[in-house]
Amino acid sequence: IALSMSLSLLFFYTLRILVQIAERYDCHTYLQLTRTIGGMKFARFVSVAIVLDLYGACVAYFIIIGDNVTPLVTRYVSDADWLGDRRVIISIIAILVMLPLALVRNLQSLAASSAVAVVAIAYVGVMVIVKGATEAKPDPPWQPILSSQTTLALPIVCFAYQVHIQGISLFSELRRGTEDSKEEVPEDPALSLLHRRGPSRIAEMFRAAAVALAFCCALYTLVGIFGLLYGGSHVESDILEAFRHDDVPSNIARLAIATVAALSFPVNSHPARAVILELLGYVPPYDTPLVVYIGVTLIYFVVALVPALLLESLGIVFDIAGALAAAPLTISIPGYLILTDPRCTNHSRAEGWILLLVGIVLTIVSVSVTIAR
């Protein structure tokens, strides 16, 4: 719990740094920001980390769908061998739902689906809390605040709070919405962010990020506590595996978490595709020709889908992506940008060095833990 809360605060701080620098240099993506400040060689290294991190998330979404929809289909729809095959279920949902959403050109178009995902994940959290509170095991396996088990959670916690790549892309689209709009500022506060400029718009972005990370931190903490109370020492990396397949609230939660995975795939594939397009020379990526745009999307989609059809372990996907990419992208690189940016006067070089070193240490520990497991 302490690890989760501490890293959520740290990640919010580094997200603020990235957004401030992106605004200063008018950068539209994470990769463009690192290329502007650190040069092309540094940007190539960052591009590998970005694609690895987002690719891991996309593979995980397919696995989550297979784990949670398969028992629902076999129980409520059909027990036919071909229809109950998780690979068939993943492929059908991927092609009919996730691929069309992944072809959307901007993140603002996914606002409605993102709202649905928030409601769905909130239901899952409430269900786990209620189950844990009412059906708790008599002796849950609590761990001391600091133990060898604490480090095992480091890779997945780093992965869970990684919003920096999407954050810069979203902030860029908010700026483009402001620049392209010729209408008067709307009265709706939810829309007014698109029409604000300068410090006011950045402040609104920071407030939205703070609320989002606080919500995630609270949800992760409560689900972790009550999931452990319910499942005891037999809790799997997918908490819903601990719940019975004949329990209606649990099955609704499985459907909800599968919905979240399906709707989250385009949010992560969007910046991953932007990195690939930038490496191909299309800057900014939203001006890419339609044929190239669709071609890159389809290739990325297939490359993410195939491993998910072969793998069944969700935890190892999160561990690898979190260990190799999340800590550098969220901690070390913001620190490096502070040290490299000559116009960064609102952060000291000491802050830059601390972030750089903390990120390196967390990466080494995460990789060691993942290898050991």
Side-chain angles (χ1 to χ4, degrees), residues 80 99 104 148 185 198 219 244 265 267 322-323 347:
L99 179 58
V104 172
S148 59
V185 176
L219 185 67
R244 301 194 315 272
F265 178 85
V267 177
H347 297 282

Side-chain angles (χ1 to χ4, degrees), residues 30-50 275 279 333 336-337 340:
Y30 193 107
L31 182 60
Q32 184 184 9
L33 173 62
T34 55
R35 183 175 59 245
T36 301
I37 305 299
M40 183 58 69
K41 291 183 179 180
F42 179 63
R44 290 195 184 100
F45 162 77
V46 173
S47 66
V48 173
I50 291 175
V275 170
L279 291 174
I333 291 176
Y336 177 79
L337 294 179
T340 309

Side-chain angles (χ1 to χ4, degrees), residues 30 35 98 113 131 149 207 234 237:
Y30 193 107
R35 183 175 59 245
M98 301 165 79
S113 62
K131 290 286 187 180
Q149 298 296 313
R207 279 193 285 271
H234 300 291
S237 56

